[in-house]
Amino acid sequence: MKKSLYLLALLVLLGVSAFAQKKSKKDYLVTIATSQGNIRLVLFEDTPKHRENFLKLVKDKFYDGTTFHRVINDFMIQGGDPNSKDEDPNNDGAGGPQATIPAEILPHHKHIYGALAAARMGDQMNPKRESSGSQFYLVENHEGVPFLDNQYTVYGQVIDGLSIIDKIAELPKDYRDRPTQDLKMTVTAKKMSKKKITKLYGYRYE
């Protein structure tokens, strides 16, 4: 009986392992389309809560029509606030789903050039460092911003269109770091083989 149970457990584990291997052969290529050009990125598999949330918002077309509402040259560009769709620029940065995402801060995901990370409230109001339900930022500093490492969840990486991030960061802006003209985005996700992503964009999966 014990032998049979052991064999059954082993078969289940082998089945799960085979499924995981099969599943990992494909990934989602995310494209952020703007008037300045397209930014393409991948989402990390070891930050599953952020990955799932982002893909759901993309599928629901949540980000379409939102803007990059905060841009700081040599630092980052921030977007994903549904308030940026309305006519009032003063409420940009204060919106998004009420539900937050539990932090998935991993030491090997750094704030390098092109990193995708989740915005969040400060530590005093948010000691668990939970992420905004929708707002995100892309690191524009070519040297990275290591002082943010281990404080915000990094959950993806730009693999094409880094120069577009630079162009956006250099746009004219007001005293709030908001571009003086709306820079709207449309975000899509397309599933394709990891081999094709590597071939097209040179991104290497670990």
Side-chain angles (χ1 to χ4, degrees):
M1 182 67 176
K2 289 184 178 179
K3 187 175 181 180
S4 297
L5 288 173
Y6 172 78
L7 288 173
L8 178 61
L10 182 61
L11 288 171
V12 170
L13 286 173
L14 288 173
V16 170
S17 176
F19 176 76
Q21 289 178 0
K22 182 179 180 181
K23 183 180 179 182
S24 67
K25 289 181 181 179
K26 289 190 174 183
D27 196 8
Y28 284 96
L29 179 69
V30 175
T31 300
I32 302 175
T34 76
S35 60
Q36 298 294 315
N38 294 339
I39 300 167
R40 294 182 176 87
L41 54 89
V42 292
L43 305 171
F44 298 144
E45 294 176 344
D46 56 1
T47 52
K49 294 181 178 66
H50 286 73
R51 176 186 171 92
E52 180 181 353
N53 181 72
F54 192 92
L55 288 174
K56 181 182 184 304
L57 293 177
V58 171
K59 182 179 179 180
D60 294 342
K61 300 186 182 301
F62 176 93
Y63 289 121
D64 294 0
T66 63
T67 73
F68 281 102
H69 64 269
R70 184 171 176 239
V71 303
I72 303 176
N73 199 16
D74 292 327
F75 183 31
M76 61 89 220
I77 61 174
Q78 183 173 336
D81 181 359
N83 285 358
S84 65
K85 293 182 180 182
D86 65 26
E87 300 297 324
D88 181 10
N90 295 306
N91 64 12
D92 291 3
Q98 289 187 348
T100 56
I101 310 167
E104 294 179 298
I105 299 172
L106 301 174
H108 56 282
H109 290 325
K110 306 293 186 183
H111 282 78
I112 63 174
Y113 182 33
L116 166 71
R120 66 174 179 83
M121 299 291 288
D123 285 1
Q124 288 187 335
M125 299 178 63
N126 179 26
K128 293 183 179 180
R129 296 179 172 175
E130 295 179 336
S131 300
S132 161
S134 66
Q135 291 192 48
F136 64 88
Y137 59 93
L138 301 171
V139 175
E140 189 268 335
N141 190 301
H142 291 211
E143 304 300 321
V145 285
F147 64 89
L148 294 181
D149 289 345
N150 303 314
Q151 297 187 55
Y152 294 77
T153 297
V154 175
Y155 64 101
Q157 178 63 41
V158 172
I159 61 174
D160 182 62
L162 287 168
S163 63
I164 306 304
I165 301 177
D166 294 340
K167 288 172 66 176
I168 294 172
E170 293 170 356
L171 290 173
K173 59 188 181 179
D174 62 20
Y175 68 96
R176 297 162 301 180
D177 295 317
R178 187 188 190 281
T180 53
Q181 291 189 341
D182 286 353
L183 182 67
K184 295 185 178 182
M185 68 180 82
T186 301
V187 186
T188 57
K190 180 180 180 181
K191 202 166 192 179
M192 66 174 60
S193 73
K194 290 182 176 179
K195 285 186 178 180
K196 186 172 183 180
I197 290 174
T198 298
K199 182 178 179 180
L200 290 174
Y201 305 106
Y203 181 74
R204 299 283 178 181
Y205 288 90
E206 296 181 0

